[in-house]
Amino acid sequence: MDDVNYFYQHWKSYTTQRSFAWVDEYKTTDAPTRLVRRAMEKENKKLRDAAKKAFTTEVRELVDFVCRRDPRVRAFQRQKEQEKEKRRLEEEAKKREKQAAYDAERRAFQEQQEKLWAGNNMETSRVADRHIEQELEKLRKKMDADVLVCDLCSKTFKSTKQLQNHLTSKKHREKEEELGVYSDLSILDDEMDKALQEELIALGKVKIEDNEAALKKAEADRVRLEKEQKAAEKRRERKEMRKSKKKDNVEKIMDTARSKKEKKVEEEERGRGKKGKKRR
């Protein structure tokens, strides 16, 4: 196929060596003066160049006509198209594989983050529950320490139940009647319940704040992941743009080189034609 390409490339850049002197309109030997002869030569040169260009164009069009119908060229073009299509399919398959791998990695990362966030939330909840229980226990001990003393009888008790039993006992009532002081157990219970409720509310606020912090952290991680994905997409677009721009520049350089080469060949052919005329 290299010989075929060389053959057609040679004839597509064909330039004739003919002088086309037969298209001259004026006979320079009949010129009365030098100025008239130069004017005649100038007009004759225009006619020769036009005829030479028309002939060269006709030959090149004939070469193009034959080349388009050459079975070898057609087979080669079909082969090139098949190879191009094959490369395109391979590139698309690679892109799909890369995208699938990227999506799988992204899903795995998201699942890992979700598990991590869920684990953190559960751990935070467990820690908060343990903290609440510890604080309640401390509060109970404190309240027990505060009320496990009967000032009227000057007695201490190990539990709240013992104190309540003592307050309802006959000896304690006799002491109350003697001193004129009465114990209101409902007031004591209300105060204990109120203190417990206040402590629970305070601990609940701490737990809510911990959960809100965990949710904010999860949202920040999600936003960061989306930004990274957008940045990666922009980098891919810039890379494709640079590739296409580089390809266009290479094509421009090749076209410029071809045009310069063609001009050089034409100038050489013209120089050869002038030398042939001088020899004659």
Side-chain angles (χ1 to χ4, degrees), residues 4-20:
V4 177
N5 289 331
Y6 177 78
F7 172 79
Y8 283 112
Q9 289 296 329
H10 172 75
W11 282 102
K12 284 181 180 179
S13 60
Y14 168 78
T15 54
T16 182
Q17 299 296 327
R18 297 181 180 182
S19 63
F20 289 90

Side-chain angles (χ1 to χ4, degrees), residues 54-241:
F55 179 76
T56 304
T57 303
E58 186 176 357
V59 172
R60 291 180 179 180
E61 289 178 353
L62 177 62
V63 173
D64 290 335
F65 178 81
V66 175
C67 181
R68 287 195 299 270
R69 286 158 179 77
D70 192 334
R72 297 170 297 178
V73 176
R74 287 185 174 182
F76 180 70
Q77 289 178 349
R78 284 195 298 270
Q79 183 181 358
K80 285 181 66 176
E81 290 176 357
Q82 291 174 359
E83 291 176 355
K84 185 177 179 180
E85 183 67 17
K86 184 178 179 181
R87 287 195 299 270
R88 186 183 66 80
L89 294 175
E90 290 177 354
E91 289 177 358
E92 289 181 355
K94 288 180 180 179
K95 287 182 180 179
R96 286 195 296 270
E97 290 177 359
K98 288 183 180 179
Q99 186 65 31
Y102 174 76
D103 293 338
E105 185 178 357
R106 179 183 175 186
R107 285 194 298 271
F109 177 75
Q110 289 179 348
E111 291 175 358
Q112 183 181 2
Q113 291 296 321
E114 289 175 358
K115 290 180 181 178
L116 182 62
W117 298 334
N120 290 336
N121 290 334
M122 292 177 65
E123 186 66 23
T124 303
S125 300
R126 287 195 292 269
V127 172
D129 293 339
R130 287 198 297 269
H131 183 64
I132 291 172
E133 291 177 359
Q134 292 174 0
E135 292 296 328
L136 287 174
E137 187 65 25
K138 290 180 182 179
L139 182 62
R140 291 192 192 98
K141 289 180 179 179
K142 182 179 179 181
M143 294 181 69
D144 289 342
D146 292 339
V147 298
L148 290 182
V149 177
C150 180
D151 295 329
L152 295 177
C153 302
S154 299
K155 291 184 178 181
T156 58
F157 304 92
K158 294 182 179 180
S159 65
T160 305
K161 189 174 182 180
Q162 290 180 359
L163 177 61
Q164 290 177 351
N165 292 332
H166 169 71
L167 293 176
T168 56
S169 64
K170 184 177 180 180
K171 290 183 179 181
H172 183 75
R173 288 180 180 178
E174 289 176 355
K175 194 72 172 178
E176 287 178 346
E177 290 175 358
E178 182 181 351
L179 298 175
V181 179
Y182 298 93
S183 300
D184 192 355
L185 296 177
S186 62
I187 294 174
L188 178 63
D189 293 337
D190 292 340
E191 290 179 354
M192 292 175 64
D193 292 339
K194 186 176 180 181
L196 284 171
Q197 289 177 0
E198 291 177 355
E199 191 69 20
L200 286 172
I201 290 170
L203 293 173
K205 287 182 179 179
V206 173
K207 183 177 179 181
I208 291 170
E209 290 176 356
D210 292 339
N211 291 333
E212 289 179 353
L215 291 173
K216 288 180 180 179
K217 183 179 179 182
E219 183 66 19
D221 291 338
R222 186 183 63 79
V223 172
R224 178 179 57 79
L225 181 61
E226 291 179 355
K227 288 182 178 180
E228 290 177 356
Q229 292 172 358
K230 290 180 180 179
E233 187 66 24
K234 288 182 179 179
R235 286 195 295 271
R236 285 196 295 271
E237 291 177 357
R238 287 196 295 268
K239 188 175 180 181
E240 293 294 334
M241 190 180 295

